[in-house]
Amino acid sequence: MNIQGINIADLAEKYGTPFYVYDFNRVEEKLEELKRAFHVEEKRCEIFYAMKANSHPVLLDLIRKKNIGIDAVSPGEVEVALKAGIAPDKILYTGNFESSGDLARVYKQGVRINLDNSRSLNKLLNIGKPETISFRINPGRGSGKYEHITTGGEKAKFGIPIDQVLQAYKKAQEAGIRKFGVHTFLGSGILDEDHFPEVVALLLEKANYIKSKLNIKFDFMDIGGGFGINYFGEEKSLDIEETARKSLQKFDDLVDEYELGSPHLAIEPGRYVVGDSGFLVTSVTSVKESFRKYVGVNAGFNILLRPALYGAEHDIVIDGKQNLGKSEKVDICGQICENTDIFARDRKLPTVEEGDLMIFKQAGAYANAMSMPYNMRMRTAEIGILDGQEKLITRPENLDDFYNRILVNEM
Ligand code: LLP
């Protein structure tokens, strides 16, 4: 397999496995595609990249160069975004279960604040009065590819029910805040174009309700992320142009109908930006014929958590065997000492042998970002490819990194 002319097997030879490798030209294409589709230059939409998906500084630098904003979920993310040169007014902080300490930090960092709890406003006002405030509404329903990535609805910890939101905006007005946004996010991994204009309609209906009670004018209305990519076995992919066209149309129509002034739409894509630009390259360590046939690789859920956490499935390539028939069904597992360390069950593959390179596709988002050094199996290297050049952009973690944090060995 090649990425922008760079051979993956050569990278494996040079750096050893496992590692993540990113096609940054692909990321640039996705960013351009989003900007075009959502008419960002014409100021019809503002994009905040959800950096939780992948917060490598190289990626944040690409985001900065494309003049795109950042959706940050913690003061730590805000700090990393600021360090990458993103301007504070291009960062939207959306916390959850915000502590006073968190709020004090992000207030000082000077970024826009989107609150996930009406009570957080009191905490924030004790710290200072922001120029702009927005609140994340939970409209009482959600939809995500898996239950575990559904972020709206009665079982979601996120967002604020509408009655409380109304009180919160009222309080903000009374405190003298004059600029407002409004936010919602129903869930991640959506491949249905019509979902997004529906979320627009849901949010604007709530905004209209708030406006009718408090006569608030909103500067921005943010529908969050959720733009899905194809992983494995999906029948259709998300048409982003159609998604954008329908969402903007719905937005314009309802802004007119409800007389909401001149707000702009905001979106927070994470997965769509980087998901299909990343690959996890592993080596097959052994094949085991037990009650089932297992193929084991030198990475586990500590490196790629999505299958174990959500039952997510990634497309898998055996390097050099792409053209061979898929002659057997195997279970693919990692080396973590847990029985949930399974990447796929009954996956049809060509005959796999020890030493083969197994490449997990769509591993750019929520992949390395969610990794951990469980079992003393440390996090991997990351390699970036841009304009036909490859660079080691993160070294592998090692045991010294573990010991560096240990202060006491004996008590
Ligand atoms: N905005 C907010 C407030 C969010 O909570 C999220 C994701 C996003 C934007 C970006 O959503 P996206 O465009 O990537 O769907 N770890 C899971 C996904 C969790 C999403 C959490 N919030 C996974 O690996 O599928």
Side-chain angles (χ1 to χ4, degrees):
M1 197 174 134
N2 281 283
I3 299 175
Q4 306 282 344
I6 305 275
N7 185 260
I8 299 286
D10 289 347
L11 293 180
E13 183 77 22
K14 182 168 170 188
Y15 296 107
T17 60
F19 58 83
Y20 278 100
V21 56
Y22 305 108
D23 177 351
F24 286 130
N25 290 92
R26 175 80 181 142
V27 174
E28 288 186 330
E29 273 170 34
K30 296 298 276 278
L31 293 172
E32 284 302 329
E33 188 190 5
L34 282 165
K35 283 177 76 169
R36 246 191 338 267
F38 281 92
H39 295 272
V40 169
E41 298 296 346
E42 296 93 314
K43 304 213 180 307
R44 292 180 67 190
C45 182
E46 189 174 16
I47 302 181
F48 299 101
Y49 164 61
M51 68 179 277
K52 66 180 81 69
N54 186 328
S55 44
H56 199 286
V58 171
L59 188 56
L60 299 182
D61 190 51
L62 295 183
I63 300 288
R64 181 186 61 77
K65 286 181 184 142
K66 296 280 177 203
N67 203 24
I68 284 173
I70 289 288
D71 157 44
V73 292
S74 68
E77 281 198 353
V78 171
E79 199 164 316
V80 170
L82 291 172
K83 259 209 174 111
I86 312 274
D89 67 349
K90 292 195 81 72
I91 301 174
L92 179 65
Y93 163 77
T94 299
N96 73 95
F97 297 87
E98 307 94 342
S99 67
S100 294
D102 286 349
L103 291 169
R105 257 177 93 186
V106 295
Y107 180 77
K108 223 167 125 201
Q109 286 162 325
V111 300
R112 265 186 270 175
I113 299 176
N114 180 40
L115 295 174
D116 189 53
N117 187 340
S118 51
R119 292 182 182 172
S120 295
L121 183 64
N122 297 336
K123 287 184 196 166
L124 182 58
L125 290 172
N126 283 335
I127 296 158
K129 190 175 82 179
E131 201 183 303
T132 307
I133 197 77
S134 73
F135 293 94
R136 176 172 180 168
I137 297 176
N138 182 340
R141 73 178 177 88
S143 55
K145 180 164 178 178
Y146 310 111
E147 190 191 333
H148 289 102
I149 57 173
T150 298
T151 51
E154 288 176 12
K155 278 174 94 180
K157 69 167 179 162
F158 301 104
I160 311 170
I162 187 67
D163 302 347
Q164 284 180 42
V165 173
L166 189 67
Q167 293 313 314
Y169 279 108
K170 186 156 182 272
K171 180 146 203 181
Q173 266 183 329
E174 285 163 5
I177 298 174
R178 292 287 168 261
K179 292 177 84 176
F180 299 96
V182 63
H183 180 283
T184 196
F185 178 41
L186 268 57
S188 190
I190 312 281
L191 293 173
D192 173 13
E193 292 81 15
D194 291 325
H195 164 81
F196 298 92
E198 279 167 26
V199 182
V200 168
L202 204 57
L203 181 62
L204 267 62
E205 181 202 313
K206 306 288 180 210
N208 183 38
Y209 172 73
I210 296 163
K211 187 207 81 168
S212 70
K213 301 280 182 200
L214 303 175
N215 199 24
I216 275 184
K217 288 252 183 303
F218 292 103
D219 284 355
F220 65 94
M221 300 184 177
D222 188 333
I223 58 167
F227 308 92
I229 59 167
N230 288 38
Y231 279 90
F232 177 73
E234 287 95 352
E235 271 155 24
K236 71 174 281 294
S237 49
L238 182 73
D239 181 335
I240 203 72
E241 286 204 3
E242 185 186 335
T243 302
R245 190 167 35 75
K246 288 181 165 171
S247 302
L248 286 168
Q249 185 66 55
K250 181 60 86 186
F251 186 77
D252 289 349
D253 289 351
L254 292 179
V255 165
D256 275 356
E257 185 184 329
Y258 297 145
E259 298 175 13
L260 293 172
S262 47
H264 62 266
L265 178 68
I267 57 169
E268 301 171 347
R271 189 188 315 276
Y272 193 82
V273 173
V274 282
D276 64 5
S277 301
F279 303 81
L280 170 62
V281 180
T282 69
S283 299
V284 173
T285 57
S286 53
V287 177
K288 179 171 172 177
E289 316 256 3
S290 175
F291 294 95
R292 303 170 67 85
K293 184 165 182 179
Y294 290 95
V295 173
V297 297
N298 60 352
F301 74 55
N302 63 315
I303 301 300
L304 181 63
L305 184 60
R306 304 187 68 258
L309 197 59
Y310 315 119
E313 293 185 289
H314 286 250
D315 199 3
I316 289 166
V317 166
I318 307 299
D319 191 44
K321 295 187 174 174
Q322 288 92 326
N323 296 325
L324 301 186
K326 295 187 173 170
S327 50
E328 57 181 7
K329 271 190 188 170
V330 295
D331 288 0
I332 300 165
C333 61
Q335 294 179 297
I336 292 297
C337 200
E338 297 261 1
N339 211 28
T340 52
D341 190 24
I342 303 287
F343 288 120
R345 294 266 189 209
D346 287 327
R347 184 64 65 96
K348 278 195 192 146
L349 290 179
T351 303
V352 183
E353 290 145 301
E354 205 173 306
D356 281 348
L357 288 181
M358 187 180 285
I359 303 172
F360 294 78
K361 294 171 80 178
Q362 296 91 23
Y366 308 111
N368 185 65
M370 292 168 72
S371 65
M372 61 184 126
Y374 184 44
N375 280 193
M376 291 297 150
R377 296 226 177 248
M378 313 313 268
R379 282 174 279 219
T380 70
E382 291 176 286
I383 296 165
I385 296 176
L386 184 66
D387 300 335
Q389 295 275 324
E390 55 91 353
K391 267 191 195 153
L392 185 66
I393 58 170
T394 312
R395 68 156 170 81
E397 192 177 28
N398 58 40
L399 285 177
D400 290 340
D401 293 316
F402 165 72
Y403 281 114
N404 278 341
R405 297 179 55 232
I406 302 294
L407 298 177
V408 176
N409 285 308
E410 265 179 54
M411 279 179 78

